[in-house]
Amino acid sequence: MTSILGTRVLRSEDPRFLTSGGDFIESIPLAGALHVVYVQSTAAHARITDVDVSVARAMPGVVDVITAHEVDLAALGPPHERVPGAMVRPVLAVETVRFVGELIAAVVAETRAQAVDAAETVVVEYDPLPAVVDAEEARRDAVLLFPEAGTNVAFTMPTRAGDDFFAGCDVLVELRMVNQRLAPCPLEVRATASRWEADGRLTHWACTQNPHFTRDDIAETLGVGRDQVRVITPDVGGGFGAKHGAYPEERLVPWLARRLQRPVRWVETRSESMVSLGHGRAQVQHARLGGSRDGTLLAYQLRVLADVGAYPTGAALLPYMTRMMASGVYDIPKVDVDVVDVVTNTTPIEAYRGAGRPEATAAIERMVDHYAAEIGIDPIELRRRNFIPPDAFPFKTPTRAVYDSGNYAGALDLAVDAAGYALLREEQAMRRAGNDVVQLGIGVSTYVEITNPEGEPEYGSVEVRADGSAVARTGTSAHGQGHDTAFAMLVSEQTGIAFDRIEVRHGDTDDVPRGHGTGGSRSLQAGGSAIRGAVDVLIGQARDAAAELLEANPDDVVLDTNAGRFHVAGTPTIARSWAEVAAASTNTVLAAEFDFTPPGATFPFGAHIAVVEVDTETGDARLRRLVACDDAGRIVNPLLVDGQVHGGLAQGVAQALYEWFVYDDDGTPRTANLADYAFPSAAELPAFERIPMETLTPLNPIGAKGIGEAGTIGSTPAVQNAVIDALSHLGVRHVDMPCTPERVWRAYAATNARDRG
């Protein structure tokens, strides 16, 4: 039998999206629903002296206007016991606002247009306070966001290194790098709807990556039992990590529905999303890398100053991932990472595609290139000399990560061959010799990341109907990844039931009893393994039932997955189909469930090579090629992997060249819409070249690792390194991201000025 696994099966989700358009919260019929619009702060840091809602209350269609003193929901508490207790986020601002976009009031009306009109009449009077938007300035504590805390430091992970950390190193290089603040910009902005049913239960529609987490959070917020809350997550148009947590806007909707005894719906605008949906990255990094003149890396030190925005959420702990993955793919004996989180008058930081791991890769890959330039060695060769060898796995790093499997040199070799690296260097040398205006840059990045980092378990179940079709349920939640296709392929492979007769369900906490959602690239390795385990149990049940029909010993009954039929070994002509077996199970449903608990996290890896052209007169850097070898273990569907990698590459390129969420000194956003916030269109991106490679993990029965974030993690430093490489012969040693034309031109101009001086 030819296995369905590893084949390019078209996404079963797509016909629905291309015809009916899918089921999104904004379009879900909800009879009698009210609409809520939030009044957001226009000040970054100020005392609220008055909130006048009198005009709004009298506007047509307005049902209610809520301010902080009317809300009895608890504030969002600190994510860790070491975060100062004063740094809690109120649902609506109380006395003080700390970032532009913070909620001040909620206006509820019969229509959205009426709510918008009324919200615009709410007058908020502010007593301005000094704002701090720079993490290094916030660290000085000159302006305090929470005076009662006495500091802007929200969390620390202190260093363990001594003064002799770099003893024995002949070479020591260092850089200050900025991993800039990004806005996630999912295609679908956030939306939420709530309806209290006649039986007293809440039905809550959530645009989330984790329905069960949302159910538990809503239940706790409202003070009701989890069994009193049903969360439904229909189609979700992208999440990228930012939709994993709970926000005040979403917590208020069910509270308002209960207060007003009517369904309530909220859908944010893109402008609101840009300042209130959690941002990503935002680290200042000071790195030092030491080693020998022959290229042996001996010691790496990273100092991370993380900007967590106005309120520390669970993302305040993301630098832990930066610390864990600090040394990347290299066998560096000594690694030391110090982390300090600070609050600023900016949008709070949340997880964003990669969530702490891209920041680690960007730092070490930039430093390896910097080291190679210092000692005059090709960056490819320096990497090869320091890779963790394939026979060293499982490998425990100095930061206590345990890498499961890897072949880093193999991935780099594939990427080098596919890119034609030697020919690229020849072309670069010719342009340099000719003093061409447009110079060629070749950037390299080799990376390893961690997926399902907390080793969370996952739920799966499979049921066979009387007609022989099947239903698979998973505790993961899709927002564009192709779960329906991948999980149906797994069930079809094991059972022989036709792929198009398998329904995959997720996103309804009444239908799926438990789950840990989708984040950390965990879905296939955890959710897929749970479904695989459920099918194993199901086949055992079906074999017993088939044995009765065949009047045989169950041990003698086999499943022919080519035909989807059970027969006695050696006599395939007398067989029973899944439909016959299911129909014969009259007293019980032919179904099984399974909870898969992995023994640890998995560590995908890869190598990217970027080729850019840089105009030395304008600073314009353009990506010409991007070759990506991303190894995520067993590939179930290469088409889905291509989609995940290509999307990730685009986001990684965007950070390297375009994206940057900017505030002015007063905390006013300067890039709060998609006209000012730069990102690439298809016209700015080449056709990515993906090189397949599979190194299986022993930590789950599929052998799969995560792929959803890999492209982003590897591509960003490859493109940044390429831009710097294009100008390295002219004396440019570093350009912070995004490598905009102005930054590139200034770096080149500064080098020329030094040369002239």
Side-chain angles (χ1 to χ4, degrees):
M1 174 184 178
T2 301
S3 174
I4 192 174
L5 302 186
T7 61
R8 302 178 71 84
V9 176
L10 295 177
R11 285 169 36 115
S12 58
E13 297 92 336
D14 288 348
R16 181 169 58 85
F17 287 127
L18 295 171
T19 53
S20 67
D23 298 314
F24 296 92
I25 291 174
E26 185 172 11
S27 58
I28 289 174
L30 200 58
L34 299 169
H35 297 263
V36 60
V37 168
Y38 293 109
V39 178
Q40 296 181 315
S41 173
T42 58
H45 197 198
R47 298 288 184 192
I48 300 174
T49 59
D50 186 54
V51 181
D52 185 353
V53 300
S54 58
V55 175
R57 289 188 188 278
M59 292 283 285
V62 171
V63 176
D64 206 352
V65 181
I66 306 296
T67 55
H69 71 277
E70 297 167 278
V71 178
D72 57 2
L73 295 178
L76 284 70
H80 192 277
E81 61 184 9
R82 284 165 45 198
V83 174
M87 295 181 179
V88 296
R89 180 178 183 178
V91 179
L92 295 177
V94 180
E95 297 182 356
T96 304
V97 290
R98 295 182 174 87
F99 71 98
V100 171
E102 184 165 5
L103 305 187
I104 294 176
V107 178
V108 188
E110 296 289 347
T111 69
R112 185 186 303 172
Q114 290 171 332
V116 170
D117 288 344
E120 290 177 349
T121 71
V122 175
V123 178
V124 183
E125 294 185 4
Y126 302 102
D127 182 9
L129 296 170
V132 57
V133 299
D134 178 81
E136 291 172 317
E137 181 62 31
R139 181 70 179 88
R140 298 185 183 98
D141 288 339
V143 174
L144 294 177
L145 272 67
F146 301 89
E148 56 272 44
T151 181
N152 288 327
V153 174
F155 188 72
T156 62
M157 286 179 268
T159 182
R160 302 182 181 90
D163 295 337
D164 61 345
F165 187 74
F166 289 100
C169 294
D170 303 322
V171 179
L172 180 62
V173 296
E174 55 186 299
L175 280 177
R176 175 191 178 275
M177 298 168 281
V178 176
N179 205 288
Q180 78 272 29
R181 172 182 289 260
L182 305 177
C185 302
L187 185 61
E188 181 197 18
V189 293
R190 288 174 299 162
T192 296
S194 291
R195 181 179 65 204
W196 290 87
E197 311 294 356
D199 62 1
R201 294 185 78 221
L202 169 67
T203 301
H204 181 75
W205 288 266
C207 182
T208 180
Q209 297 173 219
N210 194 330
H212 293 86
F213 172 86
T214 300
R215 178 200 62 189
D216 298 350
D217 180 81
I218 293 293
E220 182 179 357
T221 298
L222 298 175
V224 301
R226 294 178 181 178
D227 60 344
Q228 294 300 106
V229 178
R230 177 189 184 186
V231 169
I232 300 174
T233 299
D235 294 317
V236 175
F240 309 122
K243 292 181 181 176
H244 197 274
Y247 292 85
E249 297 95 325
E250 297 157 273
R251 290 182 170 196
L252 266 170
V253 169
W255 182 87
L256 289 166
R258 184 170 64 180
R259 172 185 171 95
L260 301 173
Q261 293 298 295
R262 286 180 62 180
V264 175
R265 190 197 313 263
W266 168 70
V267 180
E268 69 180 349
T269 65
R270 177 63 64 186
S271 296
E272 290 170 332
S273 180
M274 292 295 287
V275 296
S276 59
L277 180 64
H279 291 173
R281 310 290 189 255
Q283 289 186 6
V284 178
Q285 302 168 329
H286 292 261
R288 297 198 293 173
L289 181 61
S292 64
R293 279 283 165 196
D294 67 2
T296 302
L297 302 179
L298 300 174
Y300 177 52
Q301 191 171 67
L302 182 63
R303 299 284 179 262
V304 175
L305 181 62
D307 176 356
V308 299
Y311 298 97
T313 68
L317 307 182
L318 289 178
Y320 176 77
M321 292 297 170
T322 307
R323 168 190 266 185
M324 178 180 287
M325 303 308 299
S327 56
V329 295
Y330 307 108
D331 187 2
I332 305 175
K334 295 194 293 184
V335 179
D336 178 68
V337 183
D338 177 84
V339 173
V340 176
D341 289 350
V342 293
V343 290
T344 61
N345 293 117
T346 60
T347 299
I349 295 294
E350 292 288 349
Y352 175 65
R353 201 168 193 169
R357 291 103 76 197
E359 296 90 321
T361 299
I364 187 63
E365 287 305 292
R366 191 62 215 99
M367 290 304 294
V368 168
D369 261 37
H370 195 48
Y371 193 101
E374 177 68 20
I375 65 173
I377 188 175
D378 187 281
I380 295 272
E381 179 58 28
L382 181 62
R383 285 170 169 82
R384 283 177 172 147
R385 292 183 188 181
N386 290 280
F387 280 145
I388 299 165
D391 60 2
F393 297 93
F395 182 84
K396 187 173 183 178
T397 72
T399 53
R400 302 179 184 175
V402 181
Y403 297 173
D404 54 341
S405 61
N407 182 2
Y408 307 144
L412 182 58
D413 289 345
L414 288 174
V416 165
D417 290 345
Y421 185 76
L423 293 176
L424 288 172
R425 287 296 182 195
E426 289 178 9
E427 180 183 351
Q428 181 186 64
M430 288 181 10
R431 293 199 191 193
R432 289 179 173 181
N435 198 28
D436 289 7
V437 170
V438 178
Q439 290 291 320
L440 192 73
I442 306 150
V444 183
S445 169
T446 48
Y447 74 92
V448 59
E449 68 139 330
I450 182 172
T451 57
N452 196 20
E454 297 180 12
E456 292 176 325
E458 195 48 82
Y459 169 87
S461 71
V462 181
E463 173 187 340
V464 177
R465 301 184 179 110
D467 64 357
S469 64
V471 178
R473 294 175 173 85
T474 174
T476 65
S477 185
H479 42 281
Q481 296 88 343
H483 288 185
D484 291 10
T485 304
F487 293 154
M489 290 174 68
L490 291 174
V491 175
S492 179
E493 171 75 11
Q494 287 178 267
T495 63
I497 298 172
F499 168 79
D500 59 3
R501 302 199 71 210
I502 300 168
E503 177 188 0
V504 178
R505 294 183 183 173
H506 46 78
D508 185 338
T509 60
D510 273 11
D511 187 41
V512 181
R514 54 192 173 274
H516 284 80
T518 295
S521 302
R522 65 184 300 274
S523 294
L524 182 63
Q525 60 184 297
S529 294
I531 285 178
R532 183 185 177 103
V535 174
D536 287 339
V537 176
L538 179 77
I539 291 173
Q541 295 175 358
R543 185 179 289 112
D544 290 341
E548 292 188 16
L549 294 175
L550 296 167
E551 298 181 349
N553 188 317
D555 293 339
D556 296 330
V557 175
V558 296
L559 170 61
D560 179 0
T561 54
N562 283 309
R565 293 163 63 88
F566 294 87
H567 63 82
V568 177
T571 58
T573 56
I574 303 174
R576 297 292 181 264
S577 68
W578 276 104
E580 291 172 305
V581 173
S585 304
T586 54
N587 296 324
T588 59
V589 176
L590 189 57
E593 61 180 23
F594 190 84
D595 290 277
F596 174 73
T597 302
T602 62
F603 293 82
F605 61 92
H608 291 184
I609 295 180
V611 183
V612 303
E613 292 182 320
V614 177
D615 188 318
T616 58
E617 293 181 346
T618 66
D620 185 36
R622 306 225 171 169
L623 182 65
R624 193 174 89 177
R625 289 180 68 190
L626 184 54
V627 178
C629 178
D630 298 286
D631 191 320
R634 174 70 52 76
I635 301 302
V636 169
N637 185 333
L639 190 67
L640 297 181
V641 171
D642 283 355
Q644 287 291 294
V645 172
H646 286 191
L649 294 176
Q651 284 183 273
V653 172
Q655 179 175 6
L657 296 180
Y658 303 99
E659 291 191 46
W660 183 21
F661 199 95
V662 180
Y663 292 87
D664 67 16
D665 291 342
D666 295 323
T668 302
R670 310 306 299 172
T671 52
N673 58 62
L674 296 184
D676 297 324
Y677 185 81
F679 62 94
S681 70
E684 284 77 47
L685 298 172
F688 301 131
E689 302 166 56
R690 194 181 84 77
I691 313 303
M693 179 174 173
E694 295 182 43
T695 304
L696 275 57
T697 177
L699 300 184
N700 63 67
I702 300 173
K705 306 179 184 184
I707 193 61
E709 296 158 291
T712 306
I713 293 170
S715 60
T716 302
V719 174
Q720 184 187 22
N721 282 340
V723 172
I724 297 164
D725 179 68
L727 303 176
S728 61
H729 67 295
L730 302 172
V732 174
R733 290 291 174 261
H734 183 69
V735 180
D736 267 327
M737 298 184 295
C739 299
T740 60
E742 179 182 358
R743 282 185 165 176
V744 173
W745 182 86
R746 287 186 180 278
Y748 174 51
T751 301
N752 282 347
R754 285 196 300 270
D755 290 344
R756 289 194 301 269

